[in-house]
Amino acid sequence: MTELVETEPGVRIDPTERIELLLRDLRGSRSGLSAREAERRLIHYGPNVLRRRGGRSRLRELARQFTHPLALLLWAAAGLAAAVGIIPVAIAIVVVIMINAAFAFAQERHAEQAVEALAAYLPVRATVQRDGQLTEIEATDVVPGDVLVIAEGDRICADARLLDGGIEVDLSELTGESMPAYRTAEANDVAVPMAQARELVFSGTSCTEGRATAVVFATGMHTELGRIAALSEQVEREESPLEHQVRRVAWLIALISVLLAAAFIPLAMIGAGLSPINSVIFAVGLLVGNVPEGLLPVITLALAIGVRGLARQGAVVKRLSAVETLGSTDVICTDKTGTLTENHMRVIAIHTATGSHDPFVASVGRDPVVARVATAMNACNNARLGETGPDIGDPTELAMLTAAAALGGRIDPEERERLRRRMFHFDPVSKRMSTVDVAEGGLLRVHTKGAPESVLPLCTAEVDAEGRTVPLTPRRRDELADLVDSRARQGLRVLAVASRDLADEALPDNREEAERDLVLLGLVAMADPPRPEVAEAVRLCHEAGIRIIVITGDHGLTAAAVAAQVGITRGTPTVITGADLDRMSEDELDELLAGPDELIFARSSPEAKLRIADALRDVGHVVAMTGDGVNDAPALRRADIGVAMGRSGTDVAREAATMVLTDDNFATIAAAIQAGRLVYDNIRKFIFYIFAHATPEVTPLLIFALSGGAIPLPLTVLQLLAFDIGTETLPALALGREAAEPGLMQRPPRERGESVIRTPMLLRAWLFVGLIAAALAMAGFFFVLLRGGWHPGDPTGPGDPLHHTYQQATTMTFFGLVAGQIGTAFAARTERASLRSIGVLSNPLLLWGIAFELALAAAIIYVPVLQRLLGTAALTPSMLAFTLPFPFIVWGADELRRWVLRRRAGDPSKS
């Protein structure tokens, strides 16, 4: 039974009916739509996008914030307080849970929107016929009736019926079938399911080979992919390895806190002689003091900020987790053309039997051999020079087409398509492309272009200076090989151009039949200068301990010349051709990659990229791999960071990659690695900052418990909650925006799997900075208490003479923690370098965060309503003066520690 497709509500068509009837139903034509009609249809049908159906529930996302391990720890503390009747404390903890959940939810939404917004940097493009001309538009603007031009590497953006041509299509997104399927305009399958109709192609699938035109019959939610999307829910957000790591640490903190609290309740009651109420207060405080509330949302936000920053630099990262991986990249496998070079190819010489010719000298076009080269360069070509719009096509083909036009050749693309009878697409393995075209007098002629070492062995003859076909002698072959090497050493790309008349032969069905007994016409040398900014980026990568391996389809000498020009190679590199690599065993490849040699893999296939990526990852390297073609997709998926080209890359490569370069520039990869290191550094800074407060928060409770109640509680649970939720978060967020420390790109890459939370960090946080801040806060507490006439064991409760002094003392502890926190924030700004080297005032967000926490602390201390709520009392000027040195003592002690570390490491430069 024929399947009908609803192109809009209430309107159904049969996409498999005769093409004339389908075009009638769509009110379209083989020449496409006018721009005005397309605009009208876009308003009528709407944009070509998939709308979310269902999706992730905001309510469920908010509920998740109440059930992560740190929130569960606070719920336990609230339950414990409520169980023994400390209702104000229980309510306060629940309020803290609510505030923290709302903050975390808002930050995750911000992070999600930040990543979703990056889609604007990478619009999928489509080539359509509008007003009789080929026009490149955003895929969202495609409408029913548009005529699409589908080429190898394109991601098909709508459901369409082929008008002419044949293509191989990867249907795995739609059907799960991994093998490409052939689709052709010549088929007419009417008795099969629509997905199997050989004349139809569908949105979301990819063209892996061939070229065709097709008329669109469904867009957006009316496509097959849209129908499937309407039945499914959006998948859950992937948790990054860093978030997973921190969540595990959070569970560990929760477990330790619960065990400590459970152990200390009987210990406090039996060993220290505390009442049950005081023991529970102690346990609640211990639980609250161990909770780093802002940890997860701040990490998520820092990753999102890093992703948006990279996008502004030209690197669109598609997953938050990739930012962390970028920071540990230690090997970059890079293409040459377009990544190291400008990808602005220009033919500078055509070498034939008549000599070397500059195609842009007017008289050259009269040479009959050069004229035949120009004809072949135009025929064996899929590029189009835009008369009014942009040029369309591969830069190499555009360069050859430009040279052919300069030589007086006819480059009308419509005429080229009309005369073409068969095309054998460029094969990345054989490195050549061929077409069969109608030549003068109706004769069929094969035109071939490709790498000289691929084309020359297929040539048996050459066109001489008289225009005759003469045998290609061994001596002449040697001369040609020397010429190719000579031009390659100059960094030029060389292609061979050949042809063959078919005479009475039938149209060849396969490449082998067509590409035999070829006649060499000439060699075409093209220049593609290195990008000027790449040399500095390469220098930064070398200083950062990052190895750069060039993997290219070009000649080894060409690649070596460019690599030397940009500084990738500093001696004589080892050049391995595709054939050499094929002969290598896995052990030999591992040994080669493990060695110190500077490596260039030349004339390499996409399969070689995959093999190299596998070998590097197997020995623990973190690999960034560049690619732009359809066949690069497996290597891009396998690498830790697959890097696709945004301008020259195919849709398939961009889909497979983790990161897309909007400028196709190697320097952007180096900038992305630097940004990844910076984000990772800043995450470690605010993790240290948050963890450093655990010791000063728990110390007052321990003093209270170990004294058996002889020393009153130096910090109430409500004051502890105000400190945790009120004054900690903004400085932590500001630390996520720190600039790079000196020497960031001089460090070696961190090892794969290295934990973000390591023992030295915890020791510095808990037993050094935290211990100093705790001692200072307790010093402030005892300073006020002892000056007020208190002795151990004196009552300090409501109505007692020392009650006001006790309130001032706990307020002093609170403010002492805030003062120590300011010193900790400045200490956290750098791990090894001195604060002076990065600038004391260089992070204005941190200064604003500190100003906010001081203002909040002042309100808590001096506003009567907050005094009554939190049990605080106004501090005198002498008390405030006592705390004035606290930030400088905390920061100064850590500054001294870092100075000692630098001296031991012999690196006084960062002092």
Side-chain angles (χ1 to χ4, degrees):
M1 179 178 175
T2 301
E3 295 184 56
L4 299 180
V5 174
E6 188 176 49
T7 58
E8 57 182 305
V11 178
R12 293 175 176 271
I13 64 169
D14 175 12
T16 63
E17 65 184 343
R18 282 201 350 259
I19 194 66
E20 292 78 12
L21 297 178
L22 179 62
L23 290 171
R24 181 202 64 188
D25 292 344
L26 291 170
R27 302 187 306 281
S29 70
R30 290 178 178 270
S31 60
L33 303 174
S34 67
R36 182 181 298 178
E37 173 64 13
E39 288 178 12
R40 188 191 68 77
R41 294 193 184 195
L42 185 61
I43 296 170
H44 179 72
Y45 291 105
N48 179 29
V49 294
L50 298 182
R51 296 187 301 274
R52 286 190 177 183
R53 300 288 184 90
R56 193 165 60 196
S57 164
R58 298 279 182 90
L59 192 61
R60 190 165 66 248
E61 281 298 295
L62 183 59
R64 193 169 65 88
Q65 305 303 332
F66 294 99
T67 56
H68 71 72
L70 301 181
L72 293 175
L73 195 59
L74 290 177
W75 282 117
L80 200 57
V84 295
I86 318 173
I87 302 303
V89 172
I91 292 172
I93 294 174
V94 171
V95 169
V96 168
I97 294 171
M98 299 292 180
I99 293 172
N100 195 54
F103 174 75
F105 175 71
Q107 300 295 26
E108 287 205 4
R109 288 296 304 153
H110 178 77
E112 182 181 320
Q113 289 163 4
V115 177
E116 288 177 352
L118 298 180
Y121 285 88
L122 288 177
V124 175
R125 311 289 291 181
T127 302
V128 297
Q129 290 185 19
R130 295 269 174 92
D131 293 322
Q133 292 188 339
L134 289 186
T135 306
E136 192 176 81
I137 63 171
E138 290 191 16
T140 54
D141 294 338
V142 170
V143 294
D146 260 326
V147 172
L148 284 176
V149 177
I150 304 170
E152 180 179 326
D154 287 350
R155 192 159 184 83
I156 298 167
C157 61
D159 290 0
R161 165 79 174 269
L162 295 184
L163 294 174
D164 61 62
I167 54 176
E168 293 276 350
V169 181
D170 177 3
L171 297 171
S172 57
E173 290 285 338
L174 198 65
T175 66
E177 176 58 50
S178 59
M179 292 298 293
Y182 184 64
R183 294 291 183 260
T184 175
E186 296 174 2
N188 188 20
D189 294 328
V190 294
V192 298
M194 197 165 69
Q196 296 177 17
R198 289 175 298 161
E199 69 273 30
L200 303 183
V201 292
F202 300 98
S203 176
T205 61
S206 304
C207 173
T208 59
E209 187 177 345
R211 184 181 176 89
T213 59
V215 61
V216 174
F217 61 81
T219 59
M221 295 303 292
H222 297 290
T223 63
E224 281 292 289
L225 192 64
R227 184 180 61 80
I228 295 170
L231 300 175
S232 62
E233 294 286 316
Q234 185 185 3
V235 296
E236 290 295 316
R237 182 181 70 88
E238 176 192 4
E239 185 176 67
S240 78
L242 179 63
E243 290 174 306
H244 178 68
Q245 214 179 97
V246 172
R247 190 173 288 274
R248 286 179 60 191
V249 171
W251 276 112
L252 182 62
I253 292 171
L255 179 62
I256 292 172
S257 301
V258 170
L259 291 176
L260 281 175
F264 269 101
I265 288 178
L267 180 64
M269 292 176 62
I270 300 169
L274 294 181
S275 66
I277 293 294
N278 282 340
S279 299
V280 171
I281 289 174
F282 169 76
V284 169
L286 195 64
L287 289 176
V288 172
N290 275 299
V291 176
E293 289 91 349
L295 193 59
L296 293 176
V298 170
I299 284 176
T300 303
L301 184 63
L303 291 173
I305 289 169
V307 164
R308 297 194 78 161
L310 285 172
R312 286 192 292 271
Q313 296 182 65
V316 180
V317 177
K318 293 157 66 177
R319 295 195 308 269
L320 285 181
S321 58
V323 179
E324 175 205 4
T325 310
L326 275 167
S328 58
T329 299
D330 64 344
V331 177
I332 301 174
C333 296
T334 179
D335 286 323
K336 177 188 72 68
T337 304
T339 311
L340 302 178
T341 62
E342 294 181 354
N343 207 18
H344 292 152
M345 308 291 287
R346 177 180 171 86
V347 176
I348 63 168
I350 296 175
H351 300 282
T352 69
T354 59
S356 178
H357 308 278
D358 183 342
F360 299 98
V361 174
S363 60
V364 170
R366 293 193 289 270
D367 184 301
V369 183
V370 174
R372 289 184 62 176
V373 173
T375 300
M377 288 194 298
N378 173 50
C380 191
N381 201 311
N382 287 322
R384 289 172 178 245
L385 297 178
E387 296 178 6
T388 56
D391 296 338
I392 298 174
D394 177 80
T396 301
E397 294 199 331
L398 285 169
M400 298 183 85
L401 207 55
T402 302
L407 291 168
R410 292 175 57 84
I411 58 167
D412 179 19
E414 280 69 32
E415 182 181 6
R416 181 176 64 201
E417 292 295 326
R418 182 175 57 80
L419 295 176
R420 182 175 292 174
R421 293 294 176 265
R422 187 141 296 171
M423 177 172 63
F424 302 101
H425 283 275
F426 176 78
D427 181 358
V429 176
S430 66
K431 305 293 181 189
R432 61 182 181 268
M433 168 189 175
S434 296
T435 58
V436 181
D437 309 282
V438 178
E440 305 86 0
L443 181 72
L444 289 181
R445 178 174 293 160
V446 176
H447 293 108
T448 300
K449 73 171 188 293
E453 61 268 34
S454 172
V455 174
L456 289 177
L458 303 176
C459 295
T460 57
E462 178 184 22
V463 178
D464 69 3
E466 306 298 327
R468 297 170 303 185
T469 300
V470 297
L472 202 55
T473 65
R475 180 178 177 181
R476 179 57 176 159
R477 289 183 187 275
D478 291 341
E479 289 175 358
L480 292 169
D482 290 342
L483 178 60
V484 169
D485 289 350
S486 168
R487 286 308 214 173
R489 286 192 187 92
Q490 298 169 24
L492 302 180
R493 185 176 191 185
V494 182
L495 294 183
V497 179
S499 68
R500 177 170 76 92
D501 291 340
L502 292 181
D504 297 329
E505 296 180 44
L507 189 67
D509 291 323
N510 56 60
R511 185 182 291 272
E512 289 71 24
E513 289 180 19
E515 298 172 341
R516 61 179 178 81
D517 300 329
L518 296 175
V519 177
L520 179 67
L521 301 178
L523 299 175
V524 180
M526 288 172 280
D528 184 14
R531 294 177 181 266
E533 63 274 21
V534 167
E536 176 62 16
V538 167
R539 185 188 64 78
L540 282 176
C541 288
H542 282 156
E543 287 185 356
I546 299 169
R547 185 183 190 186
I548 303 173
I549 298 174
V550 179
I551 307 177
T552 178
D554 257 353
H555 194 288
L557 294 176
T558 305
V562 172
Q565 289 172 36
V566 299
I568 291 176
T569 58
R570 289 160 287 191
T572 303
T574 301
V575 179
I576 300 98
T577 65
D580 295 335
L581 183 61
D582 290 341
R583 288 192 293 268
M584 281 186 183
S585 66
E586 298 303 324
D587 290 341
E588 288 172 335
L589 178 59
D590 290 347
E591 184 179 349
L592 176 71
L593 293 172
D597 293 355
E598 295 172 324
L599 300 178
I600 293 175
F601 290 89
R603 296 304 189 203
S604 294
S605 65
E607 291 76 17
K609 282 187 174 182
L610 180 60
R611 188 179 172 197
I612 293 166
D614 276 339
L616 288 167
R617 292 195 67 203
D618 283 348
V619 293
H621 290 291
V622 179
V623 182
M625 173 76 72
T626 68
D628 55 11
V630 175
N631 292 333
D632 288 331
L636 294 177
R637 288 194 185 96
R638 190 69 57 87
D640 297 280
I641 298 289
V643 183
M645 304 299 113
R647 291 180 180 174
S648 61
T650 60
D651 293 340
V652 176
R654 289 195 291 266
E655 187 77 17
T658 312
M659 182 170 79
V660 180
L661 305 183
T662 57
D663 56 3
D664 292 10
N665 193 342
F666 179 87
T668 306
I669 303 175
I673 291 173
Q674 183 169 3
R677 289 188 175 194
L678 173 60
V679 167
Y680 187 83
D681 258 19
N682 288 347
I683 288 172
R684 286 177 52 81
K685 287 172 186 176
F686 63 66
I687 289 176
F688 161 77
Y689 170 79
I690 290 172
F691 275 35
H693 301 146
T695 303
E697 289 177 20
V698 170
T699 298
L701 305 167
L702 291 175
I703 288 175
F704 168 66
L706 295 176
S707 71
I711 299 173
L713 191 63
L715 187 72
T716 68
V717 174
L718 289 177
Q719 291 166 355
L720 178 58
L721 288 170
F723 172 74
D724 254 349
I725 198 68
T727 64
E728 183 177 83
T729 305
L730 284 182
L733 287 172
L735 287 171
R737 304 297 295 270
E738 276 288 333
E741 284 188 40
L744 178 68
M745 288 296 279
Q746 278 76 51
R747 303 180 203 159
R750 72 177 192 274
E751 294 182 6
R752 177 193 290 274
E754 177 186 296
S755 175
V756 70
I757 301 173
R758 290 178 289 173
T759 302
M761 175 204 281
L762 296 180
L763 293 176
R764 179 189 174 205
W766 289 340
L767 300 182
F768 186 72
V769 173
L771 208 55
I772 294 170
L776 292 172
M778 289 302 94
F781 173 75
F782 286 114
F783 168 74
V784 173
L785 212 54
L786 292 171
R787 199 172 72 159
W790 172 85
H791 297 88
D794 287 351
T796 56
D800 292 319
L802 289 173
H803 182 62
H804 180 70
T805 299
Y806 169 67
Q807 285 186 314
Q808 279 188 317
T810 60
T811 306
M812 190 69 163
T813 305
F814 168 80
F815 192 65
L817 289 177
V818 171
Q821 187 180 55
I822 293 171
T824 303
F826 280 103
R829 292 187 61 198
T830 169
E831 201 166 329
R832 294 183 69 88
S834 69
L835 187 59
R836 182 172 60 86
S837 68
I838 65 172
V840 178
L841 305 178
S842 59
N843 187 343
L845 285 176
L846 181 61
L847 301 179
W848 281 109
I850 290 171
F852 171 81
E853 69 175 324
L854 286 173
L856 182 60
I860 289 171
I861 294 169
Y862 294 107
V863 174
V865 175
L866 295 177
Q867 286 178 339
R868 288 192 296 272
L869 178 65
L870 300 174
T872 58
L875 299 179
T876 65
S878 63
M879 295 173 186
L880 293 176
F882 187 84
T883 62
L884 191 61
F886 286 9
F888 301 99
I889 293 171
V890 173
W891 161 74
D894 195 65
E895 189 78 9
L896 181 62
R897 181 195 67 85
R898 282 180 269 124
W899 179 80
V900 171
L901 287 177
R902 291 195 301 274
R903 297 285 293 183
R904 286 180 180 173
D907 186 16
S909 62
K910 299 185 180 68
S911 24

